[in-house]
Amino acid sequence: MIDWLRRLLSGDVSAPHTAPESASASASAGTSAAEGAAADSKPPVGFGVQRPLVGPHGRVAGFEFVLPPALAQRLAARGDPAARAAHSALLMGVMRSVLAQGRRAVAEIPADMLMRPAVLDQISEGAWLCVPDLAQLPAQAVAALRARGVRLGVPDGPPAAAPVVDFVWLRASGNELDTLLLSAQRWQQARPRLPLLATGMAAVEDIEQLLKAGFGLVGGQLGRRRQASSKPLNAAAHRICELMNHLASNRDTAAVAQAVRADVALSYRLLRYANSPALGLSRGVESVEQAVLLLGRLELSRWLQMLLLASANSRQAAAALQEQALARGRLLELLARADGQDRPEALFSVGLFSMLEAVLEAPLAEALAPLRLSDAAGQALLDGQGPWAPHLQLALALDNDDAGAAETLAARWGGIEAVQPMAEAAWAWAGSLVEAAPAAATPPAHAPPSKHSGV
């Protein structure tokens, strides 16, 4: 917790990714040079696509790993088993960083790839592997993988015809929630307590419904809402927005302190934060006025942004939504730094606020109405226009698995190969905050400020 708070305050929010060391490939007559090279090299940063998976407690519990769509299409067209094996080995290798965080790492891989030593050498303990043709994998290989702590699953199908599995992976396409729930019921009746994984959900409400139905991991469009109805902003959110506006309009710090003091809950949170070990003060802070002066306008604004994001945590997936908001904000800031924006830190707020509709369960325009946004921020968030719109559109394309749009938009930053490492680093940064402070996704009473300034 302390290290996490210090990183935010000091500005050291980077989460440098060190690619995991690869085990040496076992030399065998069936191992090609391409496979051996893949096994002997470190998986490149940003290789593959990570899709968040929400667990029963509403947090991001793991990630689905897939090859970039364009690469997968090229490999399928080539029909080269050695090339497929080389890329499968790399994909298995990049799963290690997530497993090291204590999260799930899930991928699909066919049985013939699991019989290649170069691929096997890259599979880490705890990996969840969906094998569509699991029955074709020799029993000895199955036993060896399970002995290493690997879980083996299959996609949906007749439960009676499936081999012994550790989980089943159900995929939705479009609005197939009812069909998926029926499949889940069939599996639960045939094989009670078998973990269920679902991906492809079209909205956050669908994710939450499946979690309530007993699914262990669910993936899909976290940032999308299915229901048009909205909840009014609660009093806490309005108070936070009011304070953010005080700071944005350069009101005197004494007036800001007076406004904070008028809210007992906010006063308590601010004093707890000011007296937290993160600041390392030798003397205690006894008043709101002292705390406001100590933090300064910028840090107070950052702290309020995070409180706004956490002001509505009633929905089941609130913690996962907040983590994705952190990751999206971080990605926008990295993109802004890469193309030389004057205020890259302001892009963090754009990414953060782009998730408010799902977090607060209100239309985005309504959620943003109490805030005094800059023209560039408002144009990007509400109209998809202006200088910051391409940054947000690229982040949305990545989160929504829109490979075509992502490829086109990423050209400005050197292509998807250059952007994907930024997205991975953004998720690693957000995950490191949650890992260091489990309550960070739903900030506690002494929630720290974000590293980033307001818009």
Side-chain angles (χ1 to χ4, degrees):
M1 167 70 83
I2 295 174
D3 288 341
W4 171 64
L5 292 167
R6 283 176 177 162
R7 286 207 308 277
L8 283 175
L9 283 175
S10 67
D12 181 15
V13 295
S14 61
H17 178 86
T18 55
E21 295 184 1
S22 302
S24 299
S26 301
S28 69
T31 304
S32 70
E35 292 175 66
D40 286 335
S41 64
K42 293 182 179 180
V45 176
F47 181 83
V49 177
Q50 295 181 208
R51 298 169 178 165
L53 299 170
V54 185
H57 299 295
R59 297 183 180 274
V60 175
F63 290 87
E64 172 193 1
F65 286 79
V66 298
L67 292 175
L71 174 60
Q73 292 173 4
R74 290 197 297 269
L75 289 173
R78 286 175 60 183
D80 183 348
R84 285 174 52 224
H87 287 89
S88 295
L90 288 173
L91 191 65
M92 295 297 103
V94 298
M95 294 165 67
R96 292 182 182 178
S97 60
V98 167
L99 290 167
Q101 298 173 16
R103 299 191 180 195
R104 303 295 184 196
V106 185
E108 181 175 286
I109 185 168
D112 64 327
M113 292 294 103
L114 290 177
M115 289 186 277
R116 301 233 175 193
V119 177
L120 282 172
D121 284 348
Q122 297 301 309
I123 299 174
S124 296
E125 178 181 352
W128 285 36
L129 302 180
C130 179
V131 188
D133 50 352
L134 182 59
Q136 298 182 23
L137 193 63
Q140 184 178 1
V142 170
L145 284 166
R146 287 195 170 120
R148 291 167 53 184
V150 176
R151 293 198 178 190
L152 301 174
V154 293
D156 195 12
V164 176
V165 293
D166 304 308
F167 69 96
V168 62
W169 189 340
L170 309 180
R171 292 181 173 88
S173 177
N175 299 317
E176 296 182 359
L177 187 61
D178 291 342
T179 301
L180 192 145
L181 285 170
L182 288 173
S183 292
Q185 185 179 42
R186 188 169 63 247
W187 279 98
Q188 288 169 334
Q189 289 175 347
R191 304 192 183 188
R193 299 183 180 179
L194 182 68
L196 299 176
L197 163 66
T199 55
M201 300 302 104
V204 63
E205 292 90 348
D206 296 346
I207 293 173
E208 292 171 328
Q209 186 172 344
L210 291 186
L211 291 174
K212 291 176 183 176
F215 279 73
L217 293 169
V218 186
Q221 305 299 328
L222 264 175
R224 286 186 180 176
R225 296 174 65 228
R226 182 179 297 281
Q227 299 174 358
S229 60
S230 64
K231 294 182 179 179
L233 293 183
N234 58 38
H238 276 292
R239 173 63 73 181
I240 293 166
C241 290
E242 180 183 353
L243 290 169
M244 291 172 65
N245 288 333
H246 286 343
L247 293 169
S249 59
N250 291 319
R251 289 193 63 181
D252 185 76
T253 53
V256 174
Q258 184 177 359
V260 173
R261 195 170 55 182
D263 187 302
V264 175
L266 275 177
S267 299
Y268 176 69
R269 290 182 176 188
L270 181 59
L271 287 173
R272 282 198 61 181
Y273 169 64
N275 286 288
S276 69
L279 298 185
L281 299 178
S282 58
R283 297 179 59 186
V285 179
E286 298 177 349
S287 69
V288 169
E289 288 81 3
Q290 280 182 289
V292 169
L293 289 172
L294 174 69
L295 285 179
R297 307 178 69 88
L298 179 60
E299 295 300 340
L300 187 59
S301 176
R302 295 167 179 170
W303 179 66
L304 288 169
Q305 284 184 49
M306 290 304 302
L307 286 185
L308 178 61
L309 194 67
S311 63
N313 56 9
S314 59
R315 68 178 320 151
Q316 186 170 2
L321 286 167
Q322 291 164 28
E323 184 172 344
Q324 180 163 356
L326 285 170
R328 184 181 291 179
R330 180 61 173 161
L331 173 59
L332 261 66
E333 184 183 30
L334 293 175
L335 292 171
R337 292 187 185 282
D339 64 9
Q341 291 282 330
D342 292 337
R343 297 175 59 210
E345 68 281 354
L347 272 291
F348 177 87
S349 299
V350 172
L352 204 71
F353 292 160
S354 70
M355 294 289 294
L356 285 181
E357 179 168 349
V359 173
L360 300 180
E361 300 181 71
L364 186 58
E366 182 179 322
L368 295 174
L371 298 173
R372 296 175 184 172
L373 299 176
S374 67
D375 289 341
Q379 290 170 0
L381 287 164
L382 298 175
D383 305 321
Q385 303 292 328
W388 295 348
H391 305 72
L392 180 56
Q393 290 166 356
L394 176 55
L396 292 172
L398 291 171
D399 287 343
N400 296 335
D401 293 329
D402 189 343
E407 288 274 1
T408 301
L409 291 163
R412 171 174 172 173
W413 288 274
I416 199 67
E417 296 82 3
V419 168
Q420 195 60 48
M422 298 185 200
E424 180 180 328
W427 273 111
W429 175 77
S432 69
L433 301 189
V434 175
E435 181 183 8
T442 307
H446 58 286
S450 164
K451 163 66 181 69
H452 311 272
S453 68
V455 183

